[in-house]
Amino acid sequence: MIKDKQNIKTVSWKVCGMRDQKNIYDVLTLEPDYMGFIMYPPSSRFIEREDVSFLEEKWSNDIPTKRVGVFVNEEEQTILDFAKKYHFDVIQLHGKETPELCQSLKEKGFEVFKVFGIKDEFNFEVLKPYEAFVDYFLFDTKSPIHGGTGETFDWGVLEQYNSTKPFLLSGGLSLENIKNIRKLDHLPCKGIDVNSKFEISPALKDVEQLTSLSVWVKSINDK
């Protein structure tokens, strides 16, 4: 992703697992490309564990950050209902969703991110049916709780990636390990998705750490 800086275009970044109103607006001042909201009830970051009625209002036009609804094995109509309620621009599917669901959501005008969990190995052939119907794949650390573990996976597995579809990297990303993504220079890694390593507590982000991250991202994008 991070090649010779003269050739860099942009690195996208997403902050996932947001919920607290003040925290959200503090992070929005950093202008991440995407902000993720967990719509999976078992998660400690599920947004409706608290009053998030403020999200039923659209953001002002000067806020460029896109809202991402993160779902796990949810029915399409439920996804659509929540997307309307919370003004999601992007649907991120973190379970065993089908290519047909991705296609349907894409045809309804959403950006679609399809997540796949990786640990020590992965069969990239399973991605092929999805390629035409997603904007990005997102590779996260495989876990039964569907993300937010703070653990990384073996990035060496990505050496087997044989698609031109861009992807986002997730799973235990921190200020300490983020610069190692230069090892993925030769792959279509479009950006990063951060969560638990930038938290004070579940769904409450450390704005100081995210500020440092935003400075790093912008230093690349400004080249």
Side-chain angles (χ1 to χ4, degrees):
M1 181 174 69
I2 307 175
K3 299 184 179 181
D4 181 345
K5 289 189 175 181
Q6 279 83 15
N7 296 327
I8 293 172
K9 293 184 179 179
T10 58
V11 173
S12 297
W13 64 297
K14 172 175 171 276
V15 181
C16 200
M18 301 294 296
R19 184 171 60 208
D20 177 81
Q21 184 173 10
K22 182 180 184 304
N23 196 225
I24 286 171
Y25 282 102
D26 285 346
V27 172
L28 284 174
T29 65
L30 303 176
E31 298 188 349
D33 296 284
Y34 301 96
M35 182 175 286
F37 300 94
I38 307 300
M39 306 306 302
Y40 181 52
S43 171
S44 61
R45 300 173 182 87
F46 176 49
I47 67 168
E48 292 193 342
R49 286 176 180 256
E50 298 179 7
D51 177 13
V52 291
S53 57
F54 65 94
L55 288 174
E56 295 178 26
E57 299 295 327
K58 289 186 176 181
W59 288 332
S60 60
N61 291 334
D62 61 337
I63 296 177
T65 303
K66 294 182 179 181
R67 299 190 192 191
V68 183
V70 181
F71 297 88
V72 180
N73 299 324
E74 191 58 84
E75 295 292 329
E76 181 174 7
Q77 189 57 54
T78 302
I79 293 172
L80 295 174
D81 290 344
F82 276 125
K84 182 178 180 180
K85 181 177 182 180
Y86 294 122
H87 308 285
F88 294 144
D89 307 288
V90 184
I91 304 300
Q92 180 171 315
L93 301 172
H94 223 294
K96 297 180 179 179
E97 298 86 3
T98 65
E100 289 76 17
L101 176 58
C102 295
Q103 179 180 10
S104 181
L105 292 169
K106 186 74 175 161
E107 290 175 348
K108 290 178 173 65
F110 296 101
E111 286 186 49
V112 177
F113 298 171
K114 181 67 186 80
V115 182
F116 291 89
I118 298 177
K119 192 173 182 182
D120 300 319
E121 58 183 8
F122 186 76
N123 177 15
F124 288 97
E125 292 301 309
V126 303
L127 306 181
K128 288 185 177 180
Y130 293 88
E131 286 185 342
F133 311 121
V134 302
D135 293 272
Y136 297 121
F137 291 122
L138 191 153
F139 297 124
D140 196 359
T141 304
K142 188 175 183 178
S143 105
I145 63 171
H146 304 285
T149 65
E151 299 178 1
T152 58
F153 64 89
D154 179 4
W155 297 354
V157 176
L158 296 173
E159 293 294 333
Q160 304 169 45
Y161 189 69
N162 57 4
S163 172
T164 59
K165 179 66 65 174
F167 66 84
L168 303 178
L169 182 66
S170 187
L173 296 181
S174 67
L175 289 175
E176 288 69 38
N177 65 23
I178 201 79
K179 295 176 184 177
N180 292 330
I181 58 175
R182 297 195 65 173
K183 297 177 182 179
L184 306 180
D185 284 1
H186 55 294
L187 297 172
C189 183
K190 174 65 174 175
I192 55 175
D193 177 17
V194 302
N195 191 345
S196 59
K197 291 293 187 180
F198 290 84
E199 281 186 329
I200 298 168
S201 60
L204 187 67
K205 297 299 184 285
D206 186 323
V207 177
E208 184 176 346
Q209 283 201 67
L210 286 174
T211 300
S212 297
L213 178 63
S214 72
V215 169
W216 178 77
V217 171
K218 289 175 182 178
S219 73
I220 293 170
N221 290 346
D222 288 343
K223 295 294 181 179

